[in-house]
Amino acid sequence: MDTILILDFGSQYTQLIARRIRELHVYSEILPWDAPADKMEALHPAGIILSGGPSSVYEEDAPSLNPYILQAGVPILGICYGMQALTRVLGGQVIPAGEREFGPSQIHVINENPLIPDGILDVWMSHGDRINVIPGGFTVLAENPSCPYAAMGDPNRRIYGVQFHPEVRHTPQGMEILHRFVINICRAKPDWTPASMIDLAVDRIKEQAGDSNVLSAVSGGVDSSVATALAAKAIGSRLNAVFVDHGLLRKNERLYVEQAFKPIMGDKFVCIDAADWFLQSLVNVTDPEAKRKLIGETFIRVFENHARSLGQIDYLIQGTIYPDVVESSGPDRNKAARIKSHHNVGGLPEDMKFKLIEPLRYFFKDEVRLVGEALGLPKELVWRQPFPGPGLAVRCLGDITRERLDRLREADAIFTEELATSGWLKAGSVSEQERAAQAFAVLLPVKSVGVMGDYRTYEEVVALRAVTTDDFMTADWARLPADLLARVANRIVNEVPGVNRVVYDVTSKPPGTIEWE
């Protein structure tokens, strides 16, 4: 299987580059910019992409290029910082830009080339430096008034650089540019399919687990469900699955999970009631990072306690996916800024007894769903609304109490029910791009004055969040109909004690994240 190697120089878009390449049905894998040459060479890349990043190439200790990159003899595409790093190492010059560009722009393609289509293109810029002198052997491919070298190329060596970001949707012809590089220039075979994804994941599980018994953490969401199904395919009866009721679940969640997994795994599936344990650990904890880390540690302690009753269990399966790793700045992302810790990435205790197996660690959400369908999992399970491992703890802002959790649980159920009834929940169809890929309620740690039945009220506020997205790396707020929002707000205020106001979140990602905490 052909691979495009992506070297990460710290851009928050790096994972997005990987996803776009996989949309072309070509496997891509990310390594940090300073990965040793033997790790890069082991991938046998058909091409190399250098990501953007926050540094300036002329700064002391700025990330640089491993000599292997230019010695590999494969096509290279530098994006933003990657283009500037190529320029510097090949003898060109990079200087601070007199006019920085952050946002939409246009470039004029001035030389016909195999990478960028002719004409004037809308692109997304994000840079504070620019190329002042291009390296010898290169030709200017595109320009704009503030960036005279918006793209450059050396077709003989198959080395290209673009100052803009083709991986983002704000560059409308970005996918064509990536297609030209990956398929036409690198000549990579488009054989990254659900079947090959399954084969890769199963092989990795077998390689890691060996002959050991394995415990799988099931949350009821698509990620953990698909990870468990892959593990069952890989190691069969040596897999034990456990679902932990941590008291932070959605309405009827435990019943749903038991009904979904008991028929599949029989007595190899157990449900553990640990609500008291979790809620006690969260008393007076309001900081979101502290919540996530406490929940992550408590999960592990519950798993360890259960594993002792099963005998020797060395490995734990988790449904960690790429966006979790990105936002937590995990081991493979230690050059990028941390957005937030995920309980199953940044919140695990150092003295954990298990070794982790994460078969979906390099999969995006849409890929996970494709794999789930290919494995034959029920469609309603594959297309369930995403639910974070920390559960309602990261949607119940402020103090976490049973009363506030019940309040949030009911509000969330009303919102989900109305969205489903009105057909606004995304369920897998390509024609449903504008439907909500994720939607939920958030209980805010503020109160507002209201009037109900001629009496003054002073009660809590619920925020509604619904987003449209393909990859969960970026997202836009869903344009829900006003009458639907009005109906949801009316029901919540009338049916949920302790709430007298409902607001709707109209923030995209970025700058916000999908979850509030």
Side-chain angles (χ1 to χ4, degrees):
M1 182 167 56
D2 287 340
T3 298
I4 298 297
L5 168 60
I6 301 167
L7 292 177
D8 181 14
F9 287 86
S11 171
Q12 295 296 339
Y13 293 141
T14 301
Q15 310 291 333
L16 194 53
I17 300 172
R19 186 185 182 281
R20 298 295 178 241
I21 302 305
R22 294 189 194 179
E23 285 181 16
L24 299 171
H25 303 294
V26 175
Y27 181 67
S28 60
E29 192 160 320
I30 296 168
L31 292 178
W33 64 269
D34 57 355
D38 59 346
K39 283 194 74 173
M40 299 186 206
E41 193 171 10
L43 293 174
H44 305 292
I48 299 173
I49 295 179
L50 313 177
S51 84
S55 303
S56 293
V57 294
Y58 47 77
E59 292 176 344
E60 187 177 357
D61 299 325
S64 58
L65 300 189
N66 189 306
Y68 166 81
I69 297 167
L70 295 172
Q71 296 167 2
V74 299
I76 301 169
L77 173 62
I79 296 175
C80 200
Y81 182 89
M83 175 186 182
Q84 294 164 12
L86 278 171
T87 298
R88 187 173 177 85
V89 78
L90 292 173
Q93 184 184 42
V94 180
I95 62 172
E99 181 181 343
R100 299 188 300 173
E101 283 189 290
F102 297 101
S105 184
Q106 286 188 327
I107 61 169
H108 179 208
V109 178
I110 59 175
N111 281 303
E112 186 177 349
N113 66 92
L115 181 69
I116 307 173
D118 292 339
I120 297 175
L121 277 62
D122 293 324
V123 299
W124 184 263
M125 293 282 195
S126 180
H127 65 96
D129 296 325
R130 66 174 178 85
I131 312 299
N132 190 47
V133 178
I134 61 174
F138 280 77
T139 300
V140 181
L141 305 182
E143 64 182 8
N144 78 2
S146 61
C147 188
Y149 305 119
M152 66 180 190
D154 181 345
N156 292 327
R157 286 188 287 177
R158 299 182 298 170
I159 301 176
Y160 299 87
V162 295
Q163 190 59 72
F164 56 91
H165 288 272
E167 70 272 23
V168 303
R169 297 297 189 197
H170 304 289
T171 300
Q173 290 174 283
M175 279 301 290
E176 181 179 350
I177 293 170
L178 292 174
H179 182 278
R180 288 179 174 215
F181 178 72
V182 172
I183 305 298
N184 299 347
I185 297 173
C186 297
R187 298 190 180 281
K189 297 181 184 67
D191 52 8
W192 179 241
T193 63
S196 62
M197 295 177 204
I198 291 172
D199 289 342
L200 179 66
V202 167
D203 288 345
R204 284 178 171 174
I205 294 170
K206 287 179 177 178
E207 181 181 351
Q208 287 183 267
D211 296 326
S212 300
N213 291 319
V214 176
L215 188 68
S216 184
V218 178
S219 71
V222 60
D223 302 330
S224 67
S225 298
V226 171
T228 300
L230 286 168
K233 184 177 179 66
I235 61 175
S237 62
R238 289 186 285 114
L239 178 69
N240 294 274
V242 58
F243 171 73
V244 176
D245 182 351
H246 49 20
L248 304 164
L249 302 172
R250 290 172 288 194
K251 189 173 182 179
N252 298 324
E253 185 88 11
R254 177 172 175 172
L255 179 62
Y256 178 89
V257 173
E258 288 181 315
Q259 289 176 341
F261 277 90
K262 271 290 185 183
I264 299 173
M265 301 198 66
D267 60 4
K268 287 288 185 176
F269 171 83
V270 298
C271 180
I272 298 174
D273 188 342
D276 290 342
W277 191 348
F278 277 86
L279 295 182
Q280 183 59 42
S281 72
L282 291 168
V283 171
N284 297 324
V285 178
T286 59
D287 178 74
E289 284 290 287
K291 285 181 185 178
R292 289 177 176 274
K293 289 179 179 179
L294 277 169
I295 290 168
E297 179 174 359
T298 306
F299 262 121
I300 295 301
R301 300 311 175 211
V302 173
F303 295 145
E304 288 174 343
N305 187 58
H306 178 64
R308 283 191 286 270
S309 69
L310 299 173
Q312 182 67 28
I313 300 286
D314 297 319
Y315 293 94
L316 176 69
I317 294 275
Q318 284 199 149
T320 306
I321 63 173
Y322 246 159
D324 300 338
V325 179
V326 176
E327 294 182 342
S328 295
S329 292
D332 294 338
R333 292 279 303 163
N334 55 13
K335 308 300 186 296
R338 169 168 295 185
I339 307 302
K340 61 186 177 185
S341 295
H342 285 258
H343 81 287
N344 57 349
V345 181
L348 301 177
E350 293 182 3
D351 62 345
M352 182 175 69
K353 306 298 182 187
F354 299 111
K355 297 173 185 176
L356 284 181
I357 298 177
E358 298 171 313
L360 306 177
R361 186 178 180 85
Y362 298 106
F363 286 19
F364 292 99
K365 179 73 75 174
D366 58 320
E367 293 176 328
V368 173
R369 289 196 162 116
L370 289 174
V371 168
E373 289 185 333
L375 287 168
L377 293 177
K379 184 176 181 180
E380 59 271 20
L381 182 63
V382 171
W383 288 95
R384 287 201 80 199
Q385 282 284 294
F387 191 57
L392 297 181
V394 293
R395 297 176 180 175
C396 185
L397 279 57
D399 288 327
I400 297 176
T401 66
R402 291 181 187 273
E403 181 184 23
R404 296 191 76 228
L405 288 170
D406 288 341
R407 191 171 294 155
L408 173 57
R409 199 172 280 120
E410 291 300 321
D412 184 75
I414 290 171
F415 188 30
T416 303
E417 177 188 324
E418 289 292 342
L419 286 171
T421 301
S422 62
W424 269 89
L425 281 185
K426 190 172 183 178
S429 170
V430 176
S431 64
E432 296 176 343
Q433 296 299 315
E434 299 307 313
R435 296 299 187 254
Q438 187 167 359
F440 53 89
V442 180
L443 187 62
L444 305 184
V446 295
K447 291 186 176 182
S448 71
V449 174
V451 56
M452 300 174 73
D454 295 329
Y455 289 95
R456 177 187 185 274
T457 61
Y458 188 56
E459 296 176 333
E460 292 191 294
V461 178
V462 163
L464 304 178
R465 177 75 158 149
V467 299
T468 59
T469 180
D470 292 324
D471 53 26
F472 292 84
M473 293 296 302
T474 60
D476 194 11
W477 61 278
R479 271 58 171 181
L480 300 181
D483 59 343
L484 172 59
L485 288 171
R487 188 163 62 250
V488 172
N490 185 62
R491 283 194 59 190
I492 289 174
V493 168
N494 282 283
E495 297 177 29
V496 182
V499 176
N500 69 354
R501 191 177 299 270
V502 176
V503 298
Y504 187 53
D505 183 350
V506 294
T507 313
S508 63
K509 174 188 179 179
T513 56
I514 293 177
E515 298 287 345
W516 276 47
E517 287 191 343

